[in-house]
Amino acid sequence: MDLILILGDQLSPGMSSLAGRSPQSAEVLMAEVQAEAHYVPHHRKKIAFTFAAMRQFAQELRDAGWTLTYKAYDAATPCPSLAEAVAQCLEDGRYDRLIVTEPGEWRLRTEMESWSDRFDLPVMLVEDTRFLASHADFEHWAEGRKQLRMEYFYREMRKRTGLLMDGDKPEGGKWNYDAENRKPAEASLLMPKRAGFEPDRITAEVLDLVDRAFPDATGTLRPFTLAVTREDAETARDHFIAQALPLFGDYQDAMLTGEAFLWHSLLSTYLNAGLLDPMDLCRRAEAEYRAGRAPLNAVEGYIRQIIGWREYVRGIYWREGPDYVRRNALGATRALPEFYWTGLTDMRCMREAIGQTLEHGYAHHIHRLMVTGTFALLAGVDPFELHEWYLAVYTDAYEWVEAPNVIGMSQFADGGLLGSKPYAASGAYIDRMSDYCGECRYNVKDKTDANSCPFNSLYWDFLDRNQDKLRGNPRLGPVYRNWDRMSEEKQNAYRSRAADVLAML
Ligand code: FAD
Ligand code: DLZ
Ligand code: SF4
């Protein structure tokens, strides 16, 4: 008899560990364990989502005839780890083999590679087939290339999937319509309504458990309106496609006070846990374009995020190896400011981005990249500490997707593998894309005085501090020429204001 271990982000009936096996020849183990709940200080909503969705999936498997051992979290004596859960299950000697779909983090993968010796039984670690590009596909694409740019990977994926193709040409004549996707939003716009789900009995029990067993966890637990079943996740999907997809492109980069979601899909949590299928989502989005219900800039932009960015960052994560999360090309060592955990700061953009993160376990891409990410980059925060923060606070966070976005895209800590230049920006970017600055205690137009926007002085101080590593970057040439043209007095004023800002942290 085989034992199939299913992890908390492997909640798809088509998992490769289940494929080709039957309830006659295999049984399933799922376990809520201390190590997974605690390896970073997870958001309460992330723990609750994971446990509730696991319990629902366990029921789905039972209904399909599987025999299942389910270890629910015992607040007094929780099962310590997945390895311990497996060990307990193997005790009676009924199983001849353990089968697991590869996990989404090196941390667990490396551990599982030693399980065969540890348990003295064959362990099959099978590839996760929920992704469109296999490890071999990505290696094949990457081999021999000097630079691994997402745009070229994405074009290959478009050709391979046939999504938005017109014969062998891209639909509409261009591969990428991003230039049309940078509109700021206004409060007068009618926002799409979001689908929310009342907790059922199973979820309500999990919420009580999280209250009792995780008193020190991060963020707010209630109201809890996430989907935890496949059916509800599909309702959320249909809701996004009908209500928000048509304007997804236009306002993809916009930020607006009190509006955490705008026209974003809010589906990453369900995709990453296995409640939704990426290719199905893309086909549905394409169908909206073909039916004339959503414009090309929106649908192309959406599909690019999924078959482009999502697949590409995963490829990078596995290709670069377990030490990727420890890279620190700019040698940044500052401790993560405490306000990342509380949202208590006078910087309105940071308060908004962190506040909604703590409330929802969600922030959209530009908040993650250009607000919390850019601030940490400019302030020289240790990328590993920041990585642990992102991994903890978002309900969609697993290392395979979080680490390349944080270490690579946002912090340039991999030295430019993912991006050709750091996402450094002054307050002007946030002012252009949001309505935050008008009400901020700091003045975005002021550069160096005591009320000046901290992003402004930190921006130049960052470039100054990192000259030896960044001056040679061709994309930063014009920026350094501007710095060089400044008087020494002005440069010193920037340095001095930046020192004051950093001292306040
Ligand atoms: P939408 O804006 O609706 O985008 C559509 C989908 O595209 C998303 O659901 C997601 O599946 C995919 N996607 C978009 N951008 C990316 C990207 N850069 N990388 C991978 N997939 C992408 N995404 C995660 O899923 N988990 C993370 O832990 C995570 N951490 C991030 C950390 C930083 C610093 C940055 C800059 C980005 C991070 N992202 C992460 C990517 C992106 O911000 C989220 O996928 C997105 O905000 C999720 O919200 P949504 O579903 O509303 O996305
Ligand atoms: C995120 C998470 C949490 C909070 N708890 C569990 C758990 O108790 N049991 C489990 O199997 N998985 C959990 N997960 C998801 C895992 O951390 C995830 O499978 C790994 O990080 C690999 O991606
Ligand atoms: Fe953020 Fe600066 Fe604007 Fe304040 S002024 S909201 S700190 S960008």
Side-chain angles (χ1 to χ4, degrees), residues 248 264-268 272 305 362 365 368 396-397 402 405:
F248 171 83
H264 291 272
S265 68
L266 323 183
L267 299 178
S268 51
N272 297 350
Q305 307 309 312
Y362 176 85
H365 189 67
R368 299 188 205 197
D396 61 15
E402 171 275 334
N405 273 298

Side-chain angles (χ1 to χ4, degrees), residues 75-278:
T77 50
C79 179
S81 63
L82 290 167
E84 184 55 33
V86 170
Q88 287 171 10
C89 231
L90 294 178
E91 256 165 21
D92 63 9
R94 277 188 335 112
Y95 300 109
D96 314 306
R97 193 166 63 154
L98 176 66
I99 300 166
V100 198
T101 293
E102 55 180 346
E105 306 196 346
W106 277 109
R107 171 183 66 85
L108 273 180
R109 192 191 171 105
T110 311
E111 189 193 320
M112 284 178 184
E113 279 164 0
S114 70
W115 279 4
S116 185
D117 286 344
R118 174 168 175 181
F119 300 127
D120 194 22
L121 116 167
V123 176
M124 267 179 78
L125 215 51
V126 289
E127 182 152 0
D128 193 337
T129 49
R130 292 174 298 171
F131 293 89
L132 304 170
S134 66
H135 298 311
D137 292 337
F138 193 82
E139 281 311 305
H140 182 68
W141 173 77
E143 208 175 300
R145 283 173 194 263
K146 275 214 193 93
Q147 289 189 317
L148 303 180
R149 291 286 170 251
M150 195 289 295
E151 184 62 29
Y152 297 108
F153 172 78
Y154 165 57
R155 291 179 192 180
E156 288 303 312
M157 295 299 283
R158 285 272 295 279
K159 289 183 211 156
R160 243 185 68 186
T161 57
L163 284 163
L164 291 181
M165 293 301 292
D166 178 7
D168 60 356
K169 300 263 180 325
E171 183 69 25
K174 285 197 294 185
W175 291 103
N176 182 319
Y177 291 85
D178 225 11
E180 296 171 32
N181 290 356
R182 292 180 190 139
K183 291 202 181 101
E186 282 161 28
S188 58
L189 286 164
L190 194 62
M191 303 293 154
K193 280 217 182 81
R194 313 310 311 202
F197 305 90
E198 274 292 304
D200 67 359
R201 184 185 52 77
I202 293 180
T203 303
E205 275 172 21
V206 168
L207 298 184
D208 288 345
L209 169 70
V210 173
D211 276 335
R212 274 183 290 116
F214 301 94
D216 303 324
T218 307
T220 315
L221 182 60
R222 294 185 179 81
F224 184 92
T225 56
L226 287 168
V228 296
T229 62
R230 196 170 317 287
E231 201 186 344
D232 284 352
E234 286 168 0
T235 303
R237 171 199 70 196
D238 296 346
H239 198 87
F240 161 69
I241 286 187
Q243 307 278 328
L245 177 64
L247 289 177
F248 171 83
D250 284 7
Y251 300 114
Q252 205 180 336
D253 290 1
M255 296 175 281
L256 213 51
T257 302
E259 296 288 347
F261 308 135
L262 299 168
W263 284 265
H264 291 272
S265 68
L266 323 183
L267 299 178
S268 51
T269 301
Y270 311 140
L271 264 175
N272 297 350
L275 299 185
L276 294 177
D277 172 60

Side-chain angles (χ1 to χ4, degrees), residues 353-375:
I354 297 169
Q356 60 194 239
T357 297
L358 297 175
E359 187 180 349
H360 303 296
Y362 176 85
H364 76 59
H365 189 67
I366 295 302
H367 284 122
R368 299 188 205 197
L369 183 65
M370 300 304 295
V371 182
T372 46
T374 292
F375 186 83

Side-chain angles (χ1 to χ4, degrees), residues 6-9 31-33 36-37 39 42 46-47 50-51 54 82 103-105 107-108 398 400:
I6 294 198
L7 308 180
D9 55 352
E32 298 169 6
V33 302
E36 294 310 303
Y39 69 96
H42 290 296
K46 184 177 185 185
I47 301 172
T50 308
F51 287 4
M54 282 174 73
L82 290 167
E105 306 196 346
R107 171 183 66 85
L108 273 180
Y398 305 96
W400 67 264

